[in-house]
mmCIF file of all heavy atoms in Angstrom:
data_model
loop_
_atom_site.group_PDB
_atom_site.id
_atom_site.type_symbol
_atom_site.label_atom_id
_atom_site.label_comp_id
_atom_site.label_asym_id
_atom_site.label_seq_id
_atom_site.Cartn_x
_atom_site.Cartn_y
_atom_site.Cartn_z
ATOM 1 N N GLY V 2 78.499 -89.966 73.429
ATOM 2 C CA GLY V 2 78.762 -88.539 73.556
ATOM 3 C C GLY V 2 77.561 -87.774 74.075
ATOM 4 O O GLY V 2 77.689 -86.878 74.925
ATOM 5 N N LEU V 3 76.390 -88.130 73.594
ATOM 6 C CA LEU V 3 75.164 -87.463 74.034
ATOM 7 C C LEU V 3 74.826 -87.807 75.481
ATOM 8 O O LEU V 3 74.352 -86.960 76.240
ATOM 9 C CB LEU V 3 74.010 -87.841 73.105
ATOM 10 C CG LEU V 3 74.094 -87.233 71.694
ATOM 11 C CD1 LEU V 3 73.148 -87.948 70.751
ATOM 12 C CD2 LEU V 3 73.760 -85.737 71.742
ATOM 13 N N LEU V 4 75.078 -89.052 75.858
ATOM 14 C CA LEU V 4 74.833 -89.442 77.245
ATOM 15 C C LEU V 4 75.778 -88.709 78.194
ATOM 16 O O LEU V 4 75.370 -88.271 79.276
ATOM 17 C CB LEU V 4 74.994 -90.958 77.407
ATOM 18 C CG LEU V 4 73.902 -91.828 76.784
ATOM 19 C CD1 LEU V 4 74.246 -93.302 76.948
ATOM 20 C CD2 LEU V 4 72.539 -91.535 77.387
ATOM 21 N N LYS V 5 77.030 -88.574 77.780
ATOM 22 C CA LYS V 5 77.995 -87.851 78.615
ATOM 23 C C LYS V 5 77.566 -86.396 78.806
ATOM 24 O O LYS V 5 77.776 -85.803 79.867
ATOM 25 C CB LYS V 5 79.381 -87.914 77.980
ATOM 26 C CG LYS V 5 80.474 -87.311 78.841
ATOM 27 C CD LYS V 5 81.848 -87.505 78.217
ATOM 28 C CE LYS V 5 82.933 -86.910 79.113
ATOM 29 N NZ LYS V 5 84.282 -87.105 78.526
ATOM 30 N N ALA V 6 76.935 -85.831 77.764
ATOM 31 C CA ALA V 6 76.454 -84.447 77.842
ATOM 32 C C ALA V 6 75.112 -84.346 78.562
ATOM 33 O O ALA V 6 74.565 -83.255 78.716
ATOM 34 C CB ALA V 6 76.347 -83.864 76.438
ATOM 35 N N ARG V 7 74.572 -85.498 78.966
ATOM 36 C CA ARG V 7 73.315 -85.589 79.714
ATOM 37 C C ARG V 7 72.073 -85.281 78.869
ATOM 38 O O ARG V 7 71.174 -84.536 79.286
ATOM 39 C CB ARG V 7 73.344 -84.713 80.971
ATOM 40 C CG ARG V 7 74.472 -85.101 81.936
ATOM 41 C CD ARG V 7 74.330 -84.413 83.274
ATOM 42 N NE ARG V 7 75.389 -84.810 84.195
ATOM 43 C CZ ARG V 7 75.408 -85.947 84.902
ATOM 44 N NH1 ARG V 7 74.417 -86.809 84.761
ATOM 45 N NH2 ARG V 7 76.409 -86.224 85.712
ATOM 46 N N ALA V 8 72.034 -85.873 77.702
ATOM 47 C CA ALA V 8 70.806 -85.810 76.903
ATOM 48 C C ALA V 8 69.698 -86.529 77.657
ATOM 49 O O ALA V 8 69.945 -87.480 78.404
ATOM 50 C CB ALA V 8 71.036 -86.476 75.540
ATOM 51 N N ALA V 9 68.468 -86.080 77.457
ATOM 52 C CA ALA V 9 67.327 -86.639 78.192
ATOM 53 C C ALA V 9 67.064 -88.087 77.789
ATOM 54 O O ALA V 9 66.854 -88.386 76.612
ATOM 55 C CB ALA V 9 66.086 -85.797 77.933
ATOM 56 N N LEU V 10 67.058 -88.964 78.769
ATOM 57 C CA LEU V 10 66.832 -90.389 78.511
ATOM 58 C C LEU V 10 65.362 -90.704 78.255
ATOM 59 O O LEU V 10 65.044 -91.623 77.500
ATOM 60 C CB LEU V 10 67.310 -91.218 79.702
ATOM 61 C CG LEU V 10 68.814 -91.314 79.919
ATOM 62 C CD1 LEU V 10 69.104 -91.923 81.287
ATOM 63 C CD2 LEU V 10 69.455 -92.150 78.821
ATOM 64 N N GLU V 11 64.467 -89.956 78.886
ATOM 65 C CA GLU V 11 63.049 -90.311 78.843
ATOM 66 C C GLU V 11 62.215 -89.457 77.896
ATOM 67 O O GLU V 11 60.976 -89.513 77.941
ATOM 68 C CB GLU V 11 62.454 -90.255 80.253
ATOM 69 C CG GLU V 11 63.196 -91.091 81.287
ATOM 70 C CD GLU V 11 63.404 -92.546 80.873
ATOM 71 O OE1 GLU V 11 62.556 -93.088 80.134
ATOM 72 O OE2 GLU V 11 64.416 -93.132 81.291
ATOM 73 N N ALA V 12 62.866 -88.656 77.053
ATOM 74 C CA ALA V 12 62.107 -87.924 76.027
ATOM 75 C C ALA V 12 61.372 -88.933 75.156
ATOM 76 O O ALA V 12 61.862 -90.040 74.925
ATOM 77 C CB ALA V 12 63.060 -87.077 75.186
ATOM 78 N N GLN V 13 60.188 -88.550 74.672
ATOM 79 C CA GLN V 13 59.372 -89.471 73.870
ATOM 80 C C GLN V 13 59.053 -88.860 72.513
ATOM 81 O O GLN V 13 58.813 -87.653 72.402
ATOM 82 C CB GLN V 13 58.073 -89.797 74.607
ATOM 83 C CG GLN V 13 58.294 -90.591 75.894
ATOM 84 C CD GLN V 13 56.997 -90.843 76.644
ATOM 85 O OE1 GLN V 13 56.355 -89.915 77.116
ATOM 86 N NE2 GLN V 13 56.617 -92.107 76.755
ATOM 87 N N ASP V 14 59.032 -89.705 71.498
ATOM 88 C CA ASP V 14 58.699 -89.238 70.155
ATOM 89 C C ASP V 14 57.185 -89.195 69.975
ATOM 90 O O ASP V 14 56.422 -89.338 70.936
ATOM 91 C CB ASP V 14 59.385 -90.101 69.097
ATOM 92 C CG ASP V 14 58.856 -91.541 69.053
ATOM 93 O OD1 ASP V 14 57.837 -91.843 69.713
ATOM 94 O OD2 ASP V 14 59.469 -92.363 68.348
ATOM 95 N N ALA V 15 56.734 -89.011 68.755
ATOM 96 C CA ALA V 15 55.305 -88.875 68.492
ATOM 97 C C ALA V 15 54.513 -90.129 68.854
ATOM 98 O O ALA V 15 53.301 -90.076 69.094
ATOM 99 C CB ALA V 15 55.080 -88.520 67.022
ATOM 100 N N ASP V 16 55.194 -91.276 68.900
ATOM 101 C CA ASP V 16 54.543 -92.538 69.277
ATOM 102 C C ASP V 16 54.734 -92.853 70.752
ATOM 103 O O ASP V 16 54.364 -93.938 71.213
ATOM 104 C CB ASP V 16 55.101 -93.698 68.440
ATOM 105 C CG ASP V 16 54.750 -93.555 66.966
ATOM 106 O OD1 ASP V 16 53.587 -93.207 66.676
ATOM 107 O OD2 ASP V 16 55.625 -93.780 66.118
ATOM 108 N N GLY V 17 55.325 -91.901 71.471
ATOM 109 C CA GLY V 17 55.550 -92.109 72.896
ATOM 110 C C GLY V 17 56.730 -93.006 73.199
ATOM 111 O O GLY V 17 56.867 -93.510 74.314
ATOM 112 N N GLU V 18 57.601 -93.218 72.212
ATOM 113 C CA GLU V 18 58.730 -94.122 72.422
ATOM 114 C C GLU V 18 59.990 -93.371 72.845
ATOM 115 O O GLU V 18 60.265 -92.269 72.356
ATOM 116 C CB GLU V 18 58.981 -94.953 71.162
ATOM 117 C CG GLU V 18 57.799 -95.831 70.818
ATOM 118 C CD GLU V 18 58.118 -96.949 69.852
ATOM 119 O OE1 GLU V 18 59.229 -96.951 69.277
ATOM 120 O OE2 GLU V 18 57.244 -97.810 69.658
ATOM 121 N N THR V 19 60.726 -93.971 73.736
ATOM 122 C CA THR V 19 61.976 -93.406 74.235
ATOM 123 C C THR V 19 63.149 -93.946 73.407
ATOM 124 O O THR V 19 62.988 -94.857 72.589
ATOM 125 C CB THR V 19 62.187 -93.791 75.699
ATOM 126 O OG1 THR V 19 62.329 -95.232 75.787
ATOM 127 C CG2 THR V 19 61.022 -93.334 76.565
ATOM 128 N N ALA V 20 64.333 -93.401 73.674
ATOM 129 C CA ALA V 20 65.531 -93.878 72.971
ATOM 130 C C ALA V 20 65.746 -95.367 73.228
ATOM 131 O O ALA V 20 66.141 -96.112 72.328
ATOM 132 C CB ALA V 20 66.744 -93.075 73.411
ATOM 133 N N LEU V 21 65.482 -95.823 74.452
ATOM 134 C CA LEU V 21 65.647 -97.239 74.775
ATOM 135 C C LEU V 21 64.684 -98.103 73.969
ATOM 136 O O LEU V 21 65.068 -99.153 73.440
ATOM 137 C CB LEU V 21 65.444 -97.463 76.277
ATOM 138 C CG LEU V 21 65.534 -98.908 76.759
ATOM 139 C CD1 LEU V 21 66.881 -99.529 76.414
ATOM 140 C CD2 LEU V 21 65.269 -98.984 78.266
ATOM 141 N N MET V 22 63.437 -97.682 73.860
ATOM 142 C CA MET V 22 62.461 -98.432 73.066
ATOM 143 C C MET V 22 62.893 -98.515 71.610
ATOM 144 O O MET V 22 62.804 -99.570 70.968
ATOM 145 C CB MET V 22 61.086 -97.766 73.164
ATOM 146 C CG MET V 22 60.439 -97.829 74.527
ATOM 147 S SD MET V 22 58.847 -96.941 74.501
ATOM 148 C CE MET V 22 58.378 -97.054 76.224
ATOM 149 N N ILE V 23 63.366 -97.402 71.097
ATOM 150 C CA ILE V 23 63.782 -97.356 69.694
ATOM 151 C C ILE V 23 64.981 -98.268 69.465
ATOM 152 O O ILE V 23 65.030 -99.024 68.481
ATOM 153 C CB ILE V 23 64.098 -95.902 69.287
ATOM 154 C CG1 ILE V 23 62.806 -95.076 69.275
ATOM 155 C CG2 ILE V 23 64.791 -95.844 67.931
ATOM 156 C CD1 ILE V 23 63.016 -93.578 69.194
ATOM 157 N N ALA V 24 65.944 -98.230 70.367
ATOM 158 C CA ALA V 24 67.120 -99.098 70.240
ATOM 159 C C ALA V 24 66.700 -100.566 70.268
ATOM 160 O O ALA V 24 67.198 -101.383 69.482
ATOM 161 C CB ALA V 24 68.109 -98.814 71.363
ATOM 162 N N ALA V 25 65.779 -100.897 71.161
ATOM 163 C CA ALA V 25 65.338 -102.285 71.298
ATOM 164 C C ALA V 25 64.636 -102.783 70.046
ATOM 165 O O ALA V 25 64.882 -103.901 69.575
ATOM 166 C CB ALA V 25 64.420 -102.420 72.505
#
């Protein structure tokens, strides 16, 4: 749902990690 709404893919958390890194 968030991807369909175009949530930012490359946003980074305090450790510099993206959603993809976190999922992995």
Side-chain angles (χ1 to χ4, degrees):
L3 289 164
L4 289 176
K5 186 175 181 179
R7 300 191 179 280
L10 289 168
E11 306 308 329
Q13 294 177 295
D14 67 9
D16 294 317
E18 298 197 350
T19 64
L21 178 58
M22 293 178 184
I23 292 167

